[in-house]
Amino acid sequence: NQYRSWLRRDLVLLIQYAAAYVDCALGDWEYGTGAPIGLIDMSERDGSIPGTSVGSPGHPQGTHTDGTDIDLAYYQVGTPDNRARPVCEHTTGGSEAYHCTGPATLLDPWRTALFIGALHEHPNLRVVGMDGQVGPPVEAALDQLCAQGWLSADACANLSLAYEVTDT
């Protein structure tokens, strides 16, 4: 039952391109895990929100439909791989907050930024959303990668990130 793992072919190719771009550019770099990026939620095969077929849609209405959205893990440091896991403290008063409540200490901002920059090579990419504690270090890394020529001028001109530092 692939109720969370269907994407449109163009998005599959874009994710593969960005992951290969990171691997090629930083393959011998010793910082971070060097492992592949983790894939999380996509759409159901029929284009429904993941979880719909089991009676529990896992995302808001209008998202993760028709294979056009994907949740990805972050590239990480201090972990054996880049699978889906929190890259920060994520609780408040002992309860799950579902977002970072402290600095993203397990984040590899450089690989994550390079990946996001490579995604922005695609002219139809609308936005990349991330946690509010992840956004600032990734945005700072993107600024440096753009300034140093690691990413194309088109990608740098089209960067579109969404995050909120204060949970609203």
Side-chain angles (χ1 to χ4, degrees), residues 34-78:
I37 189 77
L39 308 177
I40 311 173
D41 279 351
M42 300 166 217
S43 295
E44 292 195 5
R45 177 75 176 134
D46 68 357
S48 300
I49 296 170
T52 300
S53 66
V54 294
S56 183
H59 294 276
Q61 198 64 21
T63 65
H64 290 266
T65 58
D66 300 321
T68 59
D69 300 346
I70 182 172
D71 291 339
L72 298 160
Y74 299 111
Y75 284 95
Q76 300 159 36
V77 296

Side-chain angles (χ1 to χ4, degrees), residues 104-141:
T105 56
L106 299 178
L107 175 71
D108 179 341
W110 300 103
R111 279 189 175 90
T112 301
L114 195 60
F115 181 83
I116 289 170
L119 290 175
H120 280 85
E121 294 284 343
H122 196 288
N124 293 333
L125 182 71
R126 188 177 61 84
V127 66
V128 172
M130 62 190 72
D131 190 272
Q133 294 293 321
V134 170
V138 167
E139 197 160 38

